[in-house]
Amino acid sequence: MTTMNEQQKIKGEFQSRMDQNELLNCMRCGFCLPTCPTYIESGYQESHSPRGRIALMKAVVDGLIEPDEDFEKSLNMCLGCRACEPVCPSGVNYGHLLEEARDIVHQNKKHSLPVKAVRKTVFKGLFPHQNRMRTLTGLLGVYQRSGMQKVVQKSGLLKFLPDSLATMERVLPEVPTLKELKNRPYHLEPIGVQKKKVSFFTGCLMDTMFMKTNDATLKLLQLAGCEIVIPKSQACCGALHGHSGEKNKAKELAKQNISAFEEIEADYIITNAGGCGAFLNDYGHLLKDEPNWAERAKTFSKKLKDISSVLVEVEFHKQELSLPSQVITYQDSCHLRNVMKTASEPRKLLQAINGATYMEMKNADSCCGSAGIYNIVESEMSMKILDSKMKNVKETQAKTIVTANPGCLLQMKLGIEREGLSDKMRAVHLVDLLLEAVGE
């Protein structure tokens, strides 16, 4: 609960920090409403729509309402999927408003000691340090391979966790050994004629828990004729921090990444995670008020490309790609589609696979409910959104659901498990499926 003193501080910072021109850009037309999952799943509550949240932010700025618990709940209920942005006739940068509002609230609210401890551990003690991420992932690997996981699952201990978390434990990928996690490449030559020189953003979760997908990405880039350089000094993208009210730490990580990639003269900076890519893409906005970094951030972001975009550019889809006969469908990564504007390229690659029949899913461009840690902190709403998504998945009769983001991948695996379809359906990252299709 926020105290009166905290509310006054929040209100003061809203008045000084929020972009009032951006708030006024919203015409209240309602074009965003049909695209907003929380508005639909909440029974069409205005406070859970982009238009409603902007109105609440403006009301705080104007001193008409207090930034109380209901206000904070409205902000926290937002997935941050940014599906409202492409359909907005005024071009409101809703995602930027949301991040600023959340940062103001969190920086001026006194958290309980347990919450403080968790936030400090996650945002400062873990994600910014890749060696610690590797150690934690290595321990998860021991849990999986030692037989401990089966013992815990049979013991019934997981029933004390929320249903979504207990199910999530079952769908986590099999992680590499600690030795494999530490043995990462920094430079790879192309296979065949070189077409591009690229640098690769490895990410924190992607190069630990999803390391096999990163390896598949590197192999595809090599097969596509790319020389690959991987900066040793790169860090977490900062998305988790930026979305959770830790903007200053996000800026630190952004500067570290910009400096790391500036040292490499590459055609593109490649990502394979929609969430990371979108935040990297927004570095120019994140650092817009810092003269020494603003232009460098824009230059960095201009080089950014999703793996699917560069594969299409070098005509990888014209290679011989084949899979056993099956129906495949695609779930968009919200940030890949809505921020990086990449939607046709993954589909073009999937449609080029011989033996596979591509079936477009109804509302494939709507959020699956993952949204970083949203499926943990807002589990009830997340599961409502996932249940709606799985209805559309089942209509395609697909054997394989393809995604382009680790959070989406885990969420779709969670949906498959919840629906009891594990023996009939699977969820895979786009690059893992393409590596299968190329016969590697």
Side-chain angles (χ1 to χ4, degrees):
M1 181 181 293
T2 51
T3 65
M4 291 296 293
N5 185 44
E6 288 169 346
Q7 289 180 15
Q8 289 307 308
K9 287 182 180 178
I10 292 169
K11 191 187 297 184
E13 288 213 29
F14 259 75
Q15 291 167 348
S16 63
R17 285 176 54 181
M18 292 300 292
D19 187 335
Q20 298 204 36
N21 289 328
E22 198 70 76
L23 290 171
L24 288 169
N25 276 344
C26 178
M27 302 186 302
R28 314 288 190 265
C29 65
F31 279 28
C32 60
L33 301 182
T35 70
C36 179
T38 56
Y39 175 70
I40 295 166
E41 296 297 338
S42 67
Y44 308 106
Q45 290 186 39
E46 184 72 12
S47 61
H48 292 324
S49 73
R51 179 176 71 179
R53 292 184 182 102
I54 291 174
L56 290 173
M57 294 177 203
K58 183 71 167 62
V60 171
V61 170
D62 294 340
L64 299 176
I65 66 169
E66 299 297 328
D68 56 15
E69 284 188 32
D70 288 338
F71 173 75
E72 189 178 348
K73 181 181 178 182
S74 176
L75 295 184
N76 291 340
M77 192 62 73
C78 181
L79 293 148
C81 68
R82 297 171 71 168
C84 50
E85 292 184 10
V87 300
C88 178
S90 300
V92 175
N93 289 304
Y94 172 79
H96 297 164
L97 290 172
L98 178 69
E99 284 180 8
E100 192 74 356
R102 283 176 169 171
D103 189 62
I104 292 170
V105 170
H106 282 288
Q107 294 306 317
N108 290 281
K109 179 181 177 180
K110 188 175 181 181
H111 295 289
S112 67
L113 286 176
V115 171
K116 271 186 181 178
V118 170
R119 289 180 69 87
K120 184 176 181 180
T121 299
V122 171
F123 296 128
K124 296 180 181 178
L126 183 59
F127 278 87
H129 306 282
Q130 194 66 353
N131 59 329
R132 296 176 189 174
M133 291 288 291
R134 289 189 183 118
T135 299
L136 185 62
T137 304
L139 292 174
L140 175 60
V142 171
Y143 169 73
Q144 291 177 332
R145 288 185 292 272
S146 66
M148 195 184 306
Q149 183 176 32
K150 291 181 180 178
V151 171
V152 170
Q153 289 174 347
K154 290 178 180 178
S155 70
L157 288 173
L158 295 176
K159 69 182 180 182
F160 295 105
L161 294 176
D163 287 345
S164 58
L165 276 181
T167 308
M168 187 71 76
E169 188 271 348
R170 294 197 296 272
V171 301
L172 288 174
E174 291 184 13
V175 301
T177 64
L178 191 55
K179 183 179 178 181
E180 290 172 320
L181 287 165
K182 290 181 177 178
N183 188 26
R184 309 301 293 134
Y186 295 106
H187 183 263
L188 293 166
E189 296 291 343
I191 295 172
V193 178
Q194 180 169 331
K195 298 179 181 178
K196 299 288 180 183
K197 179 181 179 180
V198 302
S199 50
F200 180 52
F201 182 81
T202 55
C204 45
L205 277 176
M206 287 305 299
D207 214 42
T208 49
M209 189 177 293
F210 295 92
M211 192 192 83
K212 291 179 181 178
T213 298
N214 264 8
D215 288 343
T217 303
L218 295 172
K219 188 69 174 181
L220 287 178
L221 287 170
Q222 286 182 285
L223 291 169
C226 295
E227 178 189 356
I228 311 160
V229 182
I230 304 169
K232 292 182 181 181
S233 57
Q234 64 177 294
C236 168
C237 68
L240 184 62
H241 303 78
H243 299 327
S244 304
E246 297 284 343
K247 200 170 184 180
N248 286 336
K249 189 61 183 179
K251 288 181 179 181
E252 286 179 28
L253 293 167
K255 291 171 185 177
Q256 185 174 339
N257 283 322
I258 291 166
S259 297
F261 282 87
E262 278 178 339
E263 298 172 3
I264 300 167
E265 291 185 9
D267 299 311
Y268 303 124
I269 300 169
I270 304 299
T271 69
N272 60 3
C276 295
F279 200 76
L280 296 168
N281 188 72
D282 271 352
Y283 275 2
H285 174 77
L286 182 68
L287 299 172
K288 63 183 173 59
D289 297 323
E290 302 199 26
N292 294 332
W293 289 95
E295 286 305 315
R296 293 166 69 184
K298 288 179 183 177
T299 301
F300 172 91
S301 296
K302 283 178 183 176
K303 282 193 169 186
L304 204 65
K305 269 188 184 287
D306 182 68
I307 175 69
S308 62
S309 295
V310 75
L311 288 179
V312 168
E313 183 176 325
V314 299
E315 299 188 328
F316 184 81
H317 56 294
K318 293 185 178 179
Q319 292 194 27
E320 185 64 34
L321 304 173
S322 64
L323 286 171
S325 179
Q326 61 187 282
V327 176
I328 58 177
T329 193
Y330 178 67
Q331 165 61 30
D332 282 284
S333 155
C334 297
H335 287 141
L336 183 60
R337 183 185 185 100
N338 300 324
V339 181
M340 294 188 73
K341 312 301 182 189
T342 303
S344 63
E345 293 90 339
R347 289 169 168 82
K348 184 172 285 189
L349 290 162
L350 293 174
Q351 289 165 354
I353 300 174
N354 295 317
T357 302
Y358 178 77
M359 183 67 66
E360 181 71 15
M361 187 200 311
K362 179 183 176 183
N363 295 332
D365 57 348
S366 70
C367 187
C368 64
S370 172
I373 58 172
Y374 186 93
N375 56 5
I376 297 172
V377 297
E378 297 291 346
S379 179
E380 183 179 353
M381 177 59 76
S382 176
M383 292 305 102
K384 283 183 180 179
I385 294 167
L386 178 58
D387 289 343
S388 296
K389 178 63 64 178
M390 290 307 297
K391 288 179 183 177
N392 295 334
V393 168
K394 287 188 284 187
E395 286 178 4
T396 67
Q397 298 185 330
K399 178 184 176 183
T400 302
I401 310 169
V402 184
T403 73
N405 187 61
C408 303
L409 179 59
L410 283 181
Q411 185 80 338
M412 298 316 298
K413 286 186 174 185
L414 184 61
I416 291 170
E417 188 76 16
R418 279 165 59 87
E419 294 289 334
L421 296 172
S422 298
D423 59 336
K424 298 178 182 178
M425 188 183 293
R426 63 173 179 159
V428 298
H429 192 288
L430 174 66
V431 298
D432 292 312
L433 189 73
L434 288 175
L435 199 61
E436 278 184 43
V438 84
E440 291 288 334

